[in-house]
Amino acid sequence: MILLPSPNFASKACTVAQMGASNCIQSEMLHCRSGHNPVMSVPNLKKPLLSNSRAEVVKLSRKCSATEASNRAKSLIVAASPPTEDVLVSTDPLTKKDLVDYLASGCKPKENWRIGTEHEKFGFQTDSLRPIRYDQIAELLNGIAERFDWERIMEGDNIIGLKQGKQSISLEPGGQFELSGAPLETLHQTCAEVNSHLYQVKAVTEEMGIGFLGIGFQPKWGLKDIPIMPKGRYEIMRNYMPKVGTLGLDMMFRTCTVQVNLDFSSEADMIRKFRAGLALQPIATALFANSPFTEGKPNGYLSMRSQIWTDTDNNRAGMLPFVFDDSFGFAEYVNYALDVPMYFVYRQKKYIDCAGMSFRDFMAGKLPCLPGELPNLNDWENHLTTIFPEVRLKRYLEMRGADGGPWRRLCALPALWVGLLYDEISLQNVLDMTADWTAEERQMLRNKVPKSGLKTAFRDGLLKHVAQDVLKLAKEGLERRGFKEVGFLNEVTEVVRTGVTPAERLLDLYHE
């Protein structure tokens, strides 16, 4: 169950899941001097999926073409990593078109599409199995920074994360340790990045008596046992969550996920990928279901993490049925996001509590917590990070339905979605397969899968049978990419063949 490999694992990493020799991590690379992260030596990292520069001019283009942006657009500066700062604010009030164009600015040609993988894990003290405290996390972050040359991210006097190139390490509310990976071209590079990260973490934690667990929900400890991280935005969320759902604090402090962020070429391409991703998200939830325990006992679910999202805050979570409307596009997502209640505004390195207030009012200068002040695109970018549907749109699409898991499964999740969404034939086949699924059927799958997984009844069969077709399309899509990436799906191939989810395997071990 422990996620991290030992340091001598590095020499074996190249044999895992068909990693090509030119992309794998060599043991001597992993033992190189601090100052270079080996995974960042992979070539041809072209236009990024995500940007971590402190300021980036947003090139607004509704049609996602190479046309010049307006003079006003050139004055809008957006930093990429939340919370973003108002580095340069336009003198003109934001319009809805600005918000739409911000999303449209994520469009890029297929040759520039990238794969961005994020994964979280639970830290624990190996002697007592207690959760790790913030002071231990701070020691870990400082240790990684010193040994492997990461830049520290501070909030006041507290270290809250690290940054190196296009990668970042951050803390979730209960100390869950997250890697937000760089935008990479192939799944070989993605898996190399995962291996490199886990090696670095293990190199520091083995001296501290700390281990990490890859699972979707904290299996042992209650909310009262989880340490609270010293991050301002989480204090605001912690106070607000109980007002809008019964399980929001569990989501914050006791869940872990793995997700992949993928690009689109146009508004039409975004719509097709959004619809395919939403329709199939319950299948991904089933394939990666890995959270059957709560406080030491079976909880009755295969994905407790997924179940928790059904009563966290339904104003900002769910299956978004409007995505399947004929009118859907960037503008309709903006309308939705404008109506999602805010959490905060970030000013002068401080979080201002605006929980429950309206971004529409903010645009009119009527925000009660900041009367008379108008938002900038940085505020919009931050607001988009506080929306939590099963698939989320920013300047890329996030597939958000999977539980966290052991390291091999961290490579399988992006492989599944890349095979389905980055290949035109597979994407069209998914859309054809799901075209007659009703909103009620999609919601039924969302509701039942956390409990019954691939055994969920669907039409004349089981969800397992749909998953078999989906996996076949994913494999074919990866084969057509030509990077020999199909082996990364080995972890889910057995799940689909047997219909037994990772959670059910854990339950078998528990009962036997």
Side-chain angles (χ1 to χ4, degrees), residues 181-195:
L184 302 171
E185 291 188 73
T186 73
L187 293 164
H188 299 287
Q189 295 171 356
T190 295
C191 207
E193 176 186 66
V194 170
N195 292 336

Side-chain angles (χ1 to χ4, degrees), residues 119 159 197 256 302 383 414 474:
H119 60 86
I159 183 171
H197 169 71
C256 279
L302 302 179
H383 179 57

Side-chain angles (χ1 to χ4, degrees), residues 66-328:
T67 57
E68 289 188 7
S70 66
N71 290 335
R72 180 180 173 211
K74 294 177 182 177
S75 70
L76 298 169
I77 304 297
V78 176
S81 298
T84 55
E85 296 266 18
D86 44 331
V87 179
L88 179 62
V89 182
S90 171
T91 56
D92 298 325
L94 282 182
T95 66
K96 181 180 173 182
K97 182 179 184 301
D98 294 327
L99 309 185
V100 171
D101 288 345
Y102 171 83
L103 295 178
S105 70
C107 299
K108 52 179 64 70
K110 185 171 183 177
E111 60 267 24
N112 290 335
W113 290 356
R114 296 293 179 264
I115 307 164
T117 306
E118 303 179 24
H119 60 86
E120 303 162 352
K121 48 206 169 289
F122 293 108
F124 62 93
Q125 302 173 52
T126 54
D127 56 351
S128 65
L129 304 184
R130 300 286 299 181
I132 53 176
R133 306 179 306 271
Y134 171 72
D135 63 291
Q136 293 173 303
I137 293 174
E139 182 181 350
L140 170 58
L141 289 171
N142 281 314
I144 294 173
E146 290 165 4
R147 294 193 195 188
F148 301 101
D149 198 33
W150 289 70
E151 176 186 348
R152 293 170 175 83
I153 301 172
M154 308 296 293
E155 185 170 319
D157 295 329
N158 297 312
I159 183 171
I160 60 168
L162 301 172
K163 179 179 170 184
Q164 186 182 78
K166 302 297 182 183
Q167 300 179 93
S168 64
I169 296 172
S170 59
L171 301 180
E172 293 300 299
Q176 302 98 315
F177 208 70
E178 178 177 8
L179 175 71
S180 296
L184 302 171
E185 291 188 73
T186 73
L187 293 164
H188 299 287
Q189 295 171 356
T190 295
C191 207
E193 176 186 66
V194 170
N195 292 336
S196 176
H197 169 71
L198 298 183
Y199 167 81
Q200 292 183 10
V201 172
K202 180 67 174 179
V204 178
T205 57
E206 68 175 359
E207 301 170 3
M208 300 174 60
I210 290 174
F212 279 90
L213 183 66
I215 200 165
F217 185 76
Q218 165 53 247
K220 189 171 178 64
W221 301 111
L223 273 174
K224 67 182 186 305
D225 302 303
I226 308 297
I228 298 173
M229 297 299 103
K231 297 178 70 171
R233 66 184 291 169
Y234 295 154
E235 181 179 358
I236 293 170
M237 292 172 63
R238 184 161 50 95
N239 293 332
Y240 181 69
M241 284 294 186
K243 301 175 183 178
V244 290
T246 64
L247 299 175
L249 296 182
D250 285 304
M251 180 279 293
M252 291 179 64
F253 292 98
R254 297 204 284 178
T255 63
C256 279
T257 187
V258 54
Q259 71 177 49
V260 62
N261 307 326
L262 299 174
D263 287 313
F264 43 80
S265 61
S266 65
E267 183 172 50
D269 187 45
M270 178 277 294
I271 294 170
R272 298 172 77 238
K273 288 174 176 171
F274 208 144
R275 289 174 177 169
L278 271 177
L280 296 188
Q281 210 61 220
I283 291 178
T285 299
L287 291 175
F288 292 85
N290 191 41
S291 47
F293 303 115
T294 299
E295 297 179 23
K297 298 178 181 179
N299 53 35
Y301 293 92
L302 302 179
S303 177
M304 186 63 184
R305 183 208 61 83
S306 182
Q307 177 63 20
I308 280 170
W309 276 110
T310 65
D311 193 14
T312 290
D313 183 349
N314 289 330
N315 286 321
R316 68 184 75 245
M319 289 290 284
L320 306 188
F322 67 88
V323 170
F324 296 87
D325 294 344
D326 291 341
S327 61
F328 178 68

Side-chain angles (χ1 to χ4, degrees), residues 275-276 279-280 324 326 427-439 441-442 458-459 466:
R275 289 174 177 169
L280 296 188
F324 296 87
D326 291 341
L427 174 57
Q428 186 58 53
N429 284 332
V430 169
L431 292 170
D432 292 342
M433 176 195 304
T434 60
D436 66 342
W437 292 12
T438 66
E441 285 177 317
R442 292 191 299 267
F458 184 67
R459 296 191 171 180
V466 182

